[in-house]
């Protein structure tokens, strides 16, 4: 099994008792939910990396130098285990990633970028939705990047979505249904990342991708 991250420079949960007392009620992501989201994200990354993809292959700070050692499923399982956030945070993360794709035609989700997008988006979902969450140092240890790098990824991610973290109920249900459909084994909807809800956006900030660990960029 995966090793738990060590103490994160004064981090830890805002309330450690909450995690122990409310685990059953919080609805943490189980294996079927994790597998479904991994399926959706893996297909999204495959579409973005396809040779005939209409999207330009622009390298951003989210791109690792080399392929990460963990699959999307393995990485998402690690996040679900150690983030200890509610299912809603994963749905929000999916919404946020798709917002970037729709707002910025030059942004490519692929096997080199999906891991950092995932850790950043779910972290933002936890901060926005959950009453209790960890600090960035802890999330960075879980995600296999430095705290400084995760801080930079968070700032870039927020700029790319225009700081819009709020998700309307009907939008949330749409993406939640994508995951439920995947859980039933019928595959994700093609509406994801279709660009049907948004037009073009600003140029994406390009940068090298320093880092280490689970994202395979060290």
């Amino acid at each position: 099994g995966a090793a738990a991250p060590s103490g994160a420079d004064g981090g830890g949960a805002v309330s450690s008792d909450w995690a122990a007392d409310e685990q059953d009620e919080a609805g943490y992501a189980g294996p079927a939910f994790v597998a479904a989201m991994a399926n959706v994200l893996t297909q999204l990354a495959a579409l973005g990396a396809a040779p005939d993809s209409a999207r330009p292959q622009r390298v951003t700070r989210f791109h690792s130098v080399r392929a990460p050692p963990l699959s999307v499923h393995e990485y998402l399982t690690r996040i679900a285990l150690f983030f200890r956030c509610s299912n809603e945070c994963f749905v929000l993360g999916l919404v946020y990633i798709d917002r970037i794709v729709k707002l910025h035609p030059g942004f490519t989700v692929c096997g080199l970028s999906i891991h950092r997008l995932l850790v950043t988006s779910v972290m933002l979902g936890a901060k926005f939705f959950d009453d209790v969450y960890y600090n960035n140092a802890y999330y960075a240890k879980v995600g296999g990047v430095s705290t400084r790098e995760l801080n930079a990824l968070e700032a870039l991610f927020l700029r790319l979505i225009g700081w819009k973290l709020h998700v309307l109920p009907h939008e949330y249900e749409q993406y939640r249904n994508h995951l439920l459909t995947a859980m039933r084994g019928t595959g994700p909807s093609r509406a994801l990342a279709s660009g049907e809800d948004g037009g073009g956006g600003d140029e994406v900030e390009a940068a090298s991708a320093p880092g280490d660990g689970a994202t395979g960029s060290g």
Side-chain angles (χ1 to χ4, degrees), residues 10-23 26 28 82-85 126 130-135 138-139:
V14 175
S15 171
S16 58
D17 292 337
W18 178 88
D21 295 340
E22 301 296 328
Q23 182 172 2
Y28 295 119
F82 294 120
F83 272 30
R84 298 180 64 83
C85 58
D130 285 354
D131 293 329
V132 179
Y133 54 85
Y134 295 85
N135 64 19
Y138 179 84
Y139 290 128

Side-chain angles (χ1 to χ4, degrees), residues 46-55 57:
L47 289 173
D52 59 348
S53 172
R55 292 181 178 272
Q57 300 293 314

Side-chain angles (χ1 to χ4, degrees), residues 15-213:
S15 171
S16 58
D17 292 337
W18 178 88
D21 295 340
E22 301 296 328
Q23 182 172 2
D24 292 336
E25 289 81 1
Y28 295 119
F33 185 90
V34 168
M37 185 164 179
N39 178 41
V40 171
L41 292 171
T42 298
Q43 292 193 34
L44 183 62
L47 289 173
D52 59 348
S53 172
R55 292 181 178 272
Q57 300 293 314
R58 183 180 298 277
V59 176
T60 72
R61 193 177 195 101
F62 290 98
H63 287 71
S64 298
V65 174
R66 60 184 65 88
L70 298 181
S71 68
V72 173
H73 189 188
E74 291 168 335
Y75 194 61
L76 191 58
T77 298
R78 177 177 174 84
I79 288 176
L81 176 63
F82 294 120
F83 272 30
R84 298 180 64 83
C85 58
S86 58
N87 279 355
E88 287 84 351
C89 300
F90 291 89
V91 178
L92 292 177
L94 186 61
V95 174
Y96 298 157
I97 291 173
D98 206 38
R99 281 182 179 177
I100 290 181
V101 174
K102 290 176 178 178
L103 288 170
H104 303 275
F107 195 98
T108 303
V109 177
C110 65
L112 295 178
S113 65
I114 189 61
H115 293 70
R116 291 180 174 209
L117 286 168
L118 183 55
V119 69
T120 308
S121 65
V122 177
M123 178 185 74
L124 287 172
K127 290 183 176 183
F128 180 76
F129 183 82
D130 285 354
D131 293 329
V132 179
Y133 54 85
Y134 295 85
N135 64 19
N136 281 24
Y138 179 84
Y139 290 128
K141 287 181 180 291
V142 174
V145 296
S146 68
T147 304
R148 181 178 180 181
E149 181 64 15
L150 185 58
N151 290 343
L153 292 172
E154 180 181 30
L156 175 56
F157 198 109
L158 287 169
R159 290 199 300 274
L160 290 172
I161 62 173
W163 295 82
K164 295 179 180 179
L165 295 172
H166 182 68
V167 176
L168 294 174
H170 76 273
E171 185 181 15
Y172 175 86
E173 285 302 315
Q174 175 189 352
Y175 285 81
R176 178 175 175 271
N177 288 337
H178 290 327
L179 294 178
L180 293 178
T181 298
M183 287 179 68
R184 291 192 294 266
T186 53
S189 168
R190 293 182 179 273
L192 277 179
S194 65
E196 60 188 18
D197 297 333
D202 299 329
E203 290 295 327
V204 177
E205 175 181 324
S208 58
D212 52 49

